């Protein structure tokens, strides 16, 4: 028997036709869980200032993004173009190759901004930085 169901998430309201419906089984996915389904890497800003960067991929043009301190988001593509200099007058562009389904954070070490892979204990797993 098919049932018509109407359910609401925090983002949208959708109508769906379900073969069986158990309301307790529905839940919203976290950003990281969703990135594993739709593709995209998760990035968190672990610095004390907003970070502007660009995500892009082989078939995805550059798209400007901004992350506030402590904020995270999921982005399409395999690359991250960012300013690796944390000092105000200096701009030092760098490209980071990200695992498209990985989780990374931007960290500050002295005057450098360094992407770190959260999926590996050493922080050097699936991503690599090039200047």
């Amino acid at each position: 028997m098919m049932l018509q169901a109407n359910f609401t998430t925090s983002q949208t309201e959708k109508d769906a036709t379900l073969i069986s419906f158990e309301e307790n089984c529905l839940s919203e996915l976290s950003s990281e869980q969703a990135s594993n389904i739709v593709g995209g890497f998760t990035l968190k800003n672990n610095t004390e200032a907003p970070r502007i960067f660009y995500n892009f991929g082989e078939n995805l043009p550059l798209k400007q993004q901004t992350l506030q301190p402590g904020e995270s988001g999921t982005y399409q593509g395999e690359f991250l173009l960012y300013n690796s200099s944390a000092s105000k007058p200096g701009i030092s562009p760098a490209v980071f190759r990200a695992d498209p389904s990985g989780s990374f954070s931007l960290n500050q070490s002295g005057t450098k901004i360094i992407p770190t892979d959260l999926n590996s204990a050493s922080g050097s797993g699936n991503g690599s930085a090039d200047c």
Side-chain angles (χ1 to χ4, degrees):
M1 179 169 128
M2 296 197 18
L3 302 171
Q4 184 70 24
N6 186 343
F7 56 93
T8 303
T9 68
S10 64
Q11 301 287 322
T12 60
E13 185 174 310
K14 299 285 181 188
D15 290 325
T17 302
L18 305 171
I19 294 174
S20 65
F21 180 69
E22 176 59 49
E23 191 170 338
N24 296 332
C25 292
L26 295 176
S27 67
E28 226 173 287
L29 299 175
S30 69
S31 293
E32 189 168 342
Q33 291 167 325
S35 72
N36 290 329
I37 294 171
V38 298
F41 59 91
T42 300
L43 185 66
K44 182 174 183 180
N45 180 1
N46 281 337
T47 70
E48 296 178 0
R51 297 290 163 209
I52 297 172
F53 61 93
Y54 297 85
N55 60 304
F56 64 101
E58 184 177 325
N59 298 312
L60 182 72
L62 283 169
K63 185 170 181 185
Q64 183 176 327
Q65 309 287 350
T66 302
L67 272 178
Q68 298 300 319
E71 187 177 60
S72 64
T74 301
Y75 306 97
Q76 298 292 313
E78 304 88 43
F79 298 97
L80 173 70
L81 173 63
Y82 67 102
N83 181 7
S84 65
S85 174
S87 60
K88 295 249 184 225
I91 295 176
S92 181
V95 175
F96 180 76
R97 184 180 181 110
D99 176 340
S101 62
S103 294
F104 306 91
S105 67
L106 292 175
N107 300 294
Q108 185 170 342
S109 177
T111 61
K112 291 282 190 189
I113 302 298
I114 303 166
T116 303
D117 185 345
L118 298 176
N119 295 326
S120 71
S122 66
S124 61
N126 297 329
S128 60
D130 297 316
C131 293

